[in-house]
């Protein structure tokens, strides 16, 4: 009994020591890599913040309205953007390198997936950014036009324009990432179809009276013509 | 030469002809479907030239924008014979007429460019331009626009019209106060339509490379005045009396008009930044002609609709106005909606315009939105002005406009500080200073 218990404990200790022997070095290596990456990222961020005096780039960000899309206050600076981007890229590379240190099937897959997805994610992010910018711009155009035309629900109209454009951007971005493609496509078709149907109904109801008047006038005219033709008889 | 018709493009004006290689005076008449008025305008010009400048050779240059009516035929066939005219002296030279269709970019700017090119080719010492749709033009206009150039050495003669108190309100509430505060010259009609220009200034205009830009294309009058006052040319005004046009474009949309006119002023502000940043106060500009008042046609106004447009703007356009107006100005604007006695004072209006000018510079991509969103604010200011001046005659209204101009000048340090990002200098409130000193302050 005691021997059996001893054997079990010994086995467990051996397994644990093997596991530790197998995992501890890569774990330590991973943590070290992460730590180094973090220190490098912080240093690079500090360095870039001091080196870059992106006055022209700041102006571009502010004038194009990109700063207000990324940062709600609209006070985003070029130095912040560049330094922040460099910081996260270094941290991301460090994380992937740290994961690679484990050298298992799972970690290899994760690294591969991230490397494979990265360009797509960047493309999708750019599409979304462009979509948000366009939505803001066209939304404002609609708003100003609607207010000057005296349309009552100007802000709602502008909001609708923004939603449609952002939705289109999301659909395109999702398509780029191969993410829930059919769901977004179906939703998009339903939305556009619904909007067209609503517009048709609105136009139809609005124009009903006009069409009726036109038909009545035409019928009256024909009647008059007919009367004038036969009148002399 | 009379009756010659030549073609011209923007780049190269036609040769005026062997018989006509120089002229002392060029009178430009840009036309576009003005068959109803062109004969009267040409007769008035012809009479004016014969009566006041008989010793000078003159050419009437018509620059037609592709009229589809009989404008050009009427212009070429219009004669002063048969019209009883009192001639004080016999002209030494005949008055020639040229009609040149222009094929450049549509707009008044292309027509002006062609006229100036012809004036330069003919080595004219003076050129005047008169609108072809005027019903109020008289032979005296020719004298009033030409004499200061020929006999007094001025480079630009701008018109000074007698207008209804509610006519030309974009000029009186934005363009005049703003250009006056910026460039320090009190030119009452910077976007007049009828001008006299010296040969020297014509050469300067033609040297410029921005004829194809929007400012020169659509607001050539403002462009001409601004260049002249900013670059130190000698400018004066002539009182021409009423300015009655045969047609006004009824489809002209207010927001589009504001976008073009105010956008042009702001655009020129950027170009002449170094000039206006260095100038302060303003000085008067010589005025020729005999000032007289006459009864003018009433202008129908719809005050409730203006106020409604302003209120709608306040309720809906916050996100656009926030891009231009400071928090304080925006708060004051919004507070007006709740006011039982609606009044947008001069100080607030000047700040609104200055804020928009700075936003125009800082946000090039949003310029269209900003300028179009100015329409409800402008209507609010106009409603306030109309409430304030409904019982006033023209002298009283002129005084109000003068007060507005002084406010614009007093607030120029505010504009400079916002424009340059520097700390504002001490405000120079001349009206207040004058009151403290017990002196009447005249600007």
């Amino acid at each position: 009994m005691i021997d059996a218990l001893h054997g079990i404990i010994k086995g467990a200790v051996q397994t644990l020591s093997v596991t530790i022997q197998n995992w501890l070095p890569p774990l330590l290596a991973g943590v070290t890599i992460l730590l180094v990456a973090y220190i490098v990222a912080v240093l690079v961020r500090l360095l870039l913040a001091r080196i870059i005096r992106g006055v022209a780039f700041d102006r571009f960000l502010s004038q194009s309205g990109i700063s207000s899309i990324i940062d709600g206050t609209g006070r985003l600076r070029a130095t912040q953007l560049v330094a922040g981007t460099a910081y996260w890229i270094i941290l991301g590379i460090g994380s992937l390198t740290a994961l690679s240190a484990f050298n298992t099937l799972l970690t290899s897959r994760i690294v591969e997936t991230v490397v494979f997805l990265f360009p797509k994610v960047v493309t999708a992010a750019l599409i979304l950014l462009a979509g948000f910018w366009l939505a803001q711009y066209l939304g404002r155009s609609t708003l100003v036009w609607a207010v000057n035309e005296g349309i009552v629900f100007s802000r709602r109209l502008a909001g609708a324009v923004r939603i449609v454009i952002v939705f289109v951007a999301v659909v395109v971005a999702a398509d780029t990432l191969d993410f829930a493609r059919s769901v977004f496509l179906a939703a998009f078709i339903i939305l556009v179809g619904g909007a067209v149907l609503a517009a048709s109904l609105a136009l139809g109801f609005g124009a009903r009276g006009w069409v009726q008047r036109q038909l009545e006038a035409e019928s009256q005219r024909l009647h008059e013509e007919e009367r004038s033709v036969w009148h002399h008889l | 030469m009379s009756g010659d018709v030549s073609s011209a493009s923007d780049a190269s004006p036609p040769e005026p002809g062997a018989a006509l290689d120089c002229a002392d005076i060029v009178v430009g008449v840009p036309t576009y479907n003005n068959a109803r008025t062109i004969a009267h305008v040409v007769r008035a010009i012809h009479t004016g030239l014969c009566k006041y400048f008989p010793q000078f050779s003159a050419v009437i240059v018509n620059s037609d924008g592709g009229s589809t009516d009989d404008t050009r035929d009427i212009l070429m066939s219009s004669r002063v014979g048969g019209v009883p005219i009192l001639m004080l002296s016999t002209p030494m030279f005949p008055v020639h007429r040229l009609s040149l269709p222009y094929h450049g970019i549509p707009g008044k700017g292309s027509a002006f460019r062609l006229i100036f090119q012809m004036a330069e080719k003919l080595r004219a010492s003076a050129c005047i331009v008169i609108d072809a749709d005027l019903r109020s033009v008289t032979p005296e206009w020719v004298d009033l626009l030409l004499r200061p150039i020929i006999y007094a050495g001025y480079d630009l003669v701008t018109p000074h019209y007698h207008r209804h108190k509610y006519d030309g309100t974009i000029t009186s509430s934005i363009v005049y106060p703003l250009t006056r505060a910026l460039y320090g010259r009190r030119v009452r009609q910077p976007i007049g339509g009828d001008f006299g220009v010296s040969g020297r200034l014509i050469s300067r205009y033609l040297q410029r490379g921005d004829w194809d830009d929007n400012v020169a294309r659509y607001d050539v009058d403002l462009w001409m005045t601004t260049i002249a006052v900013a670059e130190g040319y000698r400018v004066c005004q002539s009182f021409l009396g009423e300015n009655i046009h045969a047609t006004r474009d009824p489809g002209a949309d207010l927001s589009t008009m504001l976008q073009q006119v105010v956008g042009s002023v702001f655009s020129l502000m950027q170009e002449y930044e170094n000039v206006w940043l260095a100038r302060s106060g303003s000085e008067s500009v010589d005025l020729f002609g005999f000032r007289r008042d006459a009864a003018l046609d009433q202008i129908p106004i719809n005050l409730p609709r203006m106020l409604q447009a302003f209120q709608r703007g306040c309720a809906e356009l916050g996100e656009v106005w926030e891009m231009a107006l400071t928090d304080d100005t925006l708060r004051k604007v919004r507070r007006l909606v709740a006011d039982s006695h609606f009044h947008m004072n001069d100080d607030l209006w000047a700040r609104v315009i200055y804020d928009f000018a700075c936003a125009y510079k800082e946000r090039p991509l949003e310029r269209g939105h900003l300028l179009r969103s100015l329409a409800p604010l402008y209507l609010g200011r106009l409603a306030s002005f109309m409430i304030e001046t409904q019982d006033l005659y023209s002298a009283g209204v002129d005084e109000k406009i003068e007060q507005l101009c002084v406010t614009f000048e007093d607030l120029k340090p505010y504009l400079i500080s916002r424009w340059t990002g520097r700390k504002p200098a001490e405000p120079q409130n001349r009206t207040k200073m004058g009151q403290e000193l017990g002196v009447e302050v005249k600007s």
Side-chain angles (χ1 to χ4, degrees), chain B residues 208-235:
Chain B
R208 289 180 59 104
D210 58 346
W211 278 95
D212 294 340
D213 292 355
N214 280 350
V215 180
R217 277 166 70 186
Y218 300 119
D219 293 291
V220 68
D221 340 51
L222 179 69
W223 178 84
M224 285 166 57
T225 311
T226 307
I227 291 169
V229 292
E231 297 187 7
Y233 285 90
R234 289 193 70 204
V235 180

Side-chain angles (χ1 to χ4, degrees), chain A residues 63 140-141 147-148 150 162, chain B residues 312 319 362 366 369 372:
Chain A
Q63 290 177 348
R140 266 185 205 137
S141 297
V147 169
N148 285 334
R162 279 180 188 140
Chain B
R312 200 185 306 120
E319 67 168 277
E362 285 161 12
E366 299 286 353
H369 297 151
R372 282 175 181 270

Side-chain angles (χ1 to χ4, degrees), chain A residues 221-233:
Chain A
R221 193 181 60 79
L222 289 172
H223 186 64
E224 292 286 324
E225 273 179 14
E226 200 178 350
R227 250 189 3 170
S228 64
V229 168
W230 298 108
H231 184 68
H232 66 285
L233 297 174

Side-chain angles (χ1 to χ4, degrees), chain A residues 59 62-65 68 133 136-141 143-144 146-156 162, chain B residues 253 255 309 312-313 315-320 323 361-366 368-376:
Chain A
R59 206 182 301 131
S62 155
Q63 290 177 348
S64 62
S68 54
W133 183 84
Q136 282 285 90
Y137 189 83
L138 293 181
R140 266 185 205 137
S141 297
L143 178 68
V144 174
V147 169
N148 285 334
E149 289 298 315
I151 293 167
V152 185
F153 302 112
S154 310
R155 255 194 304 191
R156 288 185 195 173
R162 279 180 188 140
Chain B
D253 164 46
S255 60
R312 200 185 306 120
E316 309 275 355
L317 285 178
E319 67 168 277
V320 185
M323 291 194 289
K361 178 196 167 202
E362 285 161 12
R363 295 174 175 270
L365 291 176
E366 299 286 353
H369 297 151
L370 286 166
L371 292 170
R372 282 175 181 270
S373 77
L374 194 58

Side-chain angles (χ1 to χ4, degrees), chain B residues 7-234:
Chain B
S7 292
S9 68
D10 249 8
S12 55
E15 289 303 321
L20 188 67
D21 59 351
C22 71
D24 300 316
I25 296 165
V26 165
V27 181
V29 187
T31 53
Y32 181 70
N33 289 341
N34 303 114
R36 279 196 298 164
T37 48
I38 190 66
H40 165 70
V41 172
V42 171
R43 272 200 300 271
I45 292 168
H46 197 288
T47 309
L49 289 170
C50 295
K51 185 176 172 185
Y52 296 105
F53 303 97
Q55 68 278 37
F56 294 102
S57 59
V59 181
I60 296 174
V61 178
N62 162 240
S63 182
D64 189 75
S67 297
T68 48
D69 61 3
D70 299 329
T71 303
R72 297 186 67 203
D73 295 335
I74 294 172
L75 179 107
M76 298 312 294
S77 60
S78 56
R79 292 173 185 283
V80 282
V83 179
I85 299 168
L86 177 65
M87 295 280 207
L88 297 175
S89 60
T90 312
M92 290 176 187
F93 299 97
V95 177
H96 302 277
R97 289 193 294 277
L98 290 178
S99 185
L100 312 165
Y102 66 88
H103 307 294
I105 309 145
K108 209 173 168 184
S110 304
F112 271 57
R113 187 182 195 181
L114 188 60
I115 290 165
F116 290 161
Q117 282 172 334
M118 285 304 301
E120 195 175 54
K121 252 187 186 340
L122 293 167
R123 299 189 295 278
S125 56
C127 170
I128 61 171
V129 184
I130 291 180
D131 270 350
D133 69 334
L134 280 165
R135 285 197 285 125
S136 54
V137 63
T138 63
E140 282 66 42
W141 282 34
V142 175
D143 181 43
L144 288 163
L145 292 172
L146 273 176
R147 193 168 293 275
I149 296 170
I150 291 175
Y151 294 110
Y154 284 95
D155 291 305
L156 180 72
V157 186
T158 62
H160 193 302
Y161 304 115
H162 173 52
R163 304 176 90 160
H164 186 273
K165 61 182 175 181
Y166 301 143
D167 187 17
T169 41
I170 293 183
T171 301
S172 59
S173 60
I174 304 176
V175 182
Y176 169 51
L178 186 55
T179 49
R180 171 175 153 170
L182 290 173
Y183 306 106
R185 307 302 304 275
R186 293 174 205 162
V187 180
R188 184 63 183 81
Q189 300 286 341
I191 38 177
D194 310 295
F195 285 94
V197 193
S198 71
R200 191 168 79 103
L201 189 53
I202 285 173
S203 301
R204 171 68 190 117
Y205 290 146
L206 291 174
Q207 271 171 12
R208 289 180 59 104
D210 58 346
W211 278 95
D212 294 340
D213 292 355
N214 280 350
V215 180
R217 277 166 70 186
Y218 300 119
D219 293 291
V220 68
D221 340 51
L222 179 69
W223 178 84
M224 285 166 57
T225 311
T226 307
I227 291 169
V229 292
E231 297 187 7
Y233 285 90
R234 289 193 70 204

